[in-house]
Amino acid sequence: GAFLGVPKEQVSQMLINSFLDTKNVVLEQNALVVNTGDRLVLFETGMGASQMFGKTTGRLVKSLLEAGIDPSRIDAVVCSHAHIDHIGGLVNAKGKKLFKNAKVYLSQADFDFWTDEKDPKKNKDFVAHARKNLLPYRDQMVFFKDGQEFLPGIAAIAAPGHTVGHTVFMLTSEGQQMCAIGDLTHHQVL
């Protein structure tokens, strides 16, 4: 569930006031691309070919191309955690790497947890999806540590809870900072 802490009636009224459907709230996934000057860094990859959360997913490569970004120019893919909607766009439906020239940055705790098939309590679809998307990049995988500036101007900040290795990122450039947070929900009205 999204928009916790607000009564459902209030959420419904806000949608009604803006002439929006109260039964089908559309939440867009956005991928951040940062050009550091010597690297092109993509944060998160969305659902990819999986339609587990709906049929409108899988636009990342098309959107990058529409923005004038060739996916082969991506040097680094940074993932806040290994849930299906963050790492799902690393490979295509056939399991082929979409960012063949990129290193993939992730916490080792999330990699280990979501690629391990032994725990029957884990969501099997999430594990299968993590294995499909992460294992092809195993030789290109870089594990960051809490507090580490793992790319110039990009530091990892451990934020476990949503997943065991969930991480947020502090981006610093010319004295200014921005925090990139995975799974922060935005909606144009709510």
Side-chain angles (χ1 to χ4, degrees):
F3 309 109
L4 301 176
V6 179
K8 287 183 182 182
E9 301 77 29
Q10 184 178 348
V11 170
S12 291
Q13 193 58 54
M14 292 169 75
L15 292 167
I16 290 166
N17 291 348
S18 295
F19 306 101
L20 294 171
D21 189 343
T22 59
K23 302 277 189 260
N24 183 27
V25 178
V26 177
L27 302 176
E28 298 294 337
Q29 285 188 295
N30 296 293
L32 172 66
V33 177
V34 175
N35 186 339
T36 68
D38 64 341
R39 286 192 180 97
L40 203 52
V41 183
L42 170 65
F43 288 80
E44 317 290 17
T45 66
M47 293 289 294
S50 173
Q51 295 189 345
M52 181 185 281
F53 296 158
K55 296 184 186 310
T56 60
T57 59
R59 281 195 41 86
L60 178 63
V61 169
K62 184 176 181 184
S63 295
L64 287 170
L65 291 169
E66 289 170 349
I69 300 169
D70 180 345
S72 69
R73 288 193 47 238
I74 300 288
D75 300 297
V77 178
V78 178
C79 299
S80 61
H81 60 293
H83 274 167
I84 193 168
D85 53 328
H86 293 263
I87 51 102
L90 284 168
V91 300
N92 66 15
K94 295 180 180 176
K96 184 180 175 202
K97 291 186 222 179
L98 295 173
F99 305 99
K100 60 184 180 214
N101 298 318
K103 290 190 184 302
V104 175
Y105 295 81
L106 180 70
S107 72
Q108 184 160 6
D110 249 40
F111 177 85
D112 291 347
F113 183 85
W114 289 109
T115 58
D116 177 12
E117 299 174 291
K118 295 179 184 125
D119 183 352
K121 290 180 250 160
K122 285 186 217 162
N123 182 316
K124 293 205 182 320
D125 289 333
F126 276 47
V127 171
H129 206 65
R131 292 179 63 81
K132 176 185 175 184
N133 282 275
L134 295 175
L135 294 181
Y137 287 91
R138 187 61 187 97
D139 293 340
Q140 293 161 256
M141 184 99 26
V142 179
F143 299 122
F144 44 66
K145 304 263 188 249
D146 182 28
Q148 176 186 6
E149 184 176 305
F150 60 93
L151 288 168
I154 303 173
I157 302 170
H162 181 60
T163 65
V164 295
H166 189 249
T167 305
V168 300
F169 307 99
M170 189 61 73
L171 286 67
T172 304
S173 177
E174 298 181 3
Q176 296 195 19
Q177 290 187 312
M178 179 182 89
C179 189
I181 302 172
D183 272 3
L184 177 66
T185 304
H186 292 276
H187 186 272
Q188 72 272 26
V189 171
L190 303 175

